[in-house]
Amino acid sequence: MTTAENAESGGSRQQVRPGAATGTVVAVFGALAALAGIEHGVGEMLQGSGPPPGWVIRSWPEHAAFEALGGEPALTVLPDLLVSGVVTVVVATALGAWAIVGVHRRHAGPPLLGLSLLLLAVGGGFGPPLLGIVLGLGAAWPAVSPQHFGAARRSLARMWPWALGAGVVGYLGLVPGTLVMHAVWGSTSPAGVYGLMVLAFGGVILALPAARARDRLEAGRGVAHAQPGSGRRSRGTR
């Protein structure tokens, strides 16, 4: 069943496959979350084999470039840092792959949520799993029927590419942006880091509902155009 057919079925709110705009948002931010998770895993692997100091660790504890990010804190339930790093890389890769190739499946959200929670537990940091959880909830959230679209929702639908771009700029500004700033200027402003965090997560939180609105609006238009005789009725009312 296509997205347009899903929109035509009964019910004002229903679970549908994410459309093109939502799929783009989930794929882009899912790939960024995966890359950030892999970066955490590499830092943990470079620390070598040994027990972590506790459940909360730092992925890059001895690197000045990561000081502005607190050494990249993470949570791990695994008993060895090397194992934690390897598992983190594997889980983060699976998260990114599902965000890209599995997002258009009807039940795309639960696997994203599961992989994100697993990434949180094995050492993938806090930001990447949180981003994955937001994406999973966005992919699983029931859509709004096109018949409920007013001017506000139509305006929201037009915002999705701008919100996507803002979120990407914020996320890349954190990593590798803060590393570049440290290499060029020798330090990174904490206020700048917090601002980039707000831009990154604010962008994705706005981009998801905007993209969902765009997809449902397009689905509603497709249903209207597909209805037999719709063209004749519209000409007769002029």
Side-chain angles (χ1 to χ4, degrees), residues 37-59 72-93 118-125:
I38 291 172
E39 172 253 300
H40 275 273
V42 171
E44 291 152 16
M45 286 191 290
L46 291 178
Q47 296 181 55
S49 181
W55 283 13
V56 178
I57 61 173
R58 292 196 297 167
S59 300
E72 292 278 61
L75 171 72
T76 183
V77 298
L78 299 176
D80 186 271
L81 280 173
L82 179 60
V83 173
S84 179
V86 172
V87 176
T88 294
V89 170
V90 172
V91 175
T93 302
L118 182 58
L119 184 64
L120 174 65
V122 300

Side-chain angles (χ1 to χ4, degrees), residues 67 112 214:
E67 286 182 359
L112 277 175
R214 174 69 177 183

Side-chain angles (χ1 to χ4, degrees), residues 26 114 126 141 178 200 238:
V26 173
F126 296 101
W141 197 260
T178 54
R238 291 178 183 174

Side-chain angles (χ1 to χ4, degrees), residues 64 99 107 113 119 129 131 135 138 167 181 187:
H107 300 290
L113 290 171
L119 184 64
L131 180 57
L135 295 174
M181 286 186 282
S187 63

Side-chain angles (χ1 to χ4, degrees), residues 90-217:
V90 172
V91 175
T93 302
L95 173 64
W98 180 258
I100 295 171
V101 304
V103 65
H104 291 294
R105 297 180 181 271
R106 184 180 298 276
H107 300 290
L112 277 175
L113 290 171
L115 287 169
S116 299
L117 292 173
L118 182 58
L119 184 64
L120 174 65
V122 300
F126 296 101
L130 178 58
L131 180 57
I133 290 171
V134 172
L135 295 174
L137 292 174
W141 197 260
V144 177
S145 173
Q147 68 188 17
H148 292 162
F149 268 71
R153 290 191 184 277
R154 294 177 191 277
S155 298
L156 177 64
R158 289 192 292 268
M159 292 176 61
W160 81 268
W162 302 100
L164 171 64
V168 170
V169 168
Y171 213 84
L172 292 179
L174 288 170
V175 179
T178 54
L179 308 183
V180 174
M181 286 186 282
H182 184 274
V184 174
W185 292 296
S187 63
T188 304
S189 167
V193 172
Y194 293 135
L196 289 170
M197 288 180 179
V198 172
L199 185 63
F201 283 95
V204 68
I205 291 172
L206 178 60
L208 278 170
R212 295 281 287 186
R214 174 69 177 183
D215 289 333
R216 294 303 291 168
L217 185 60

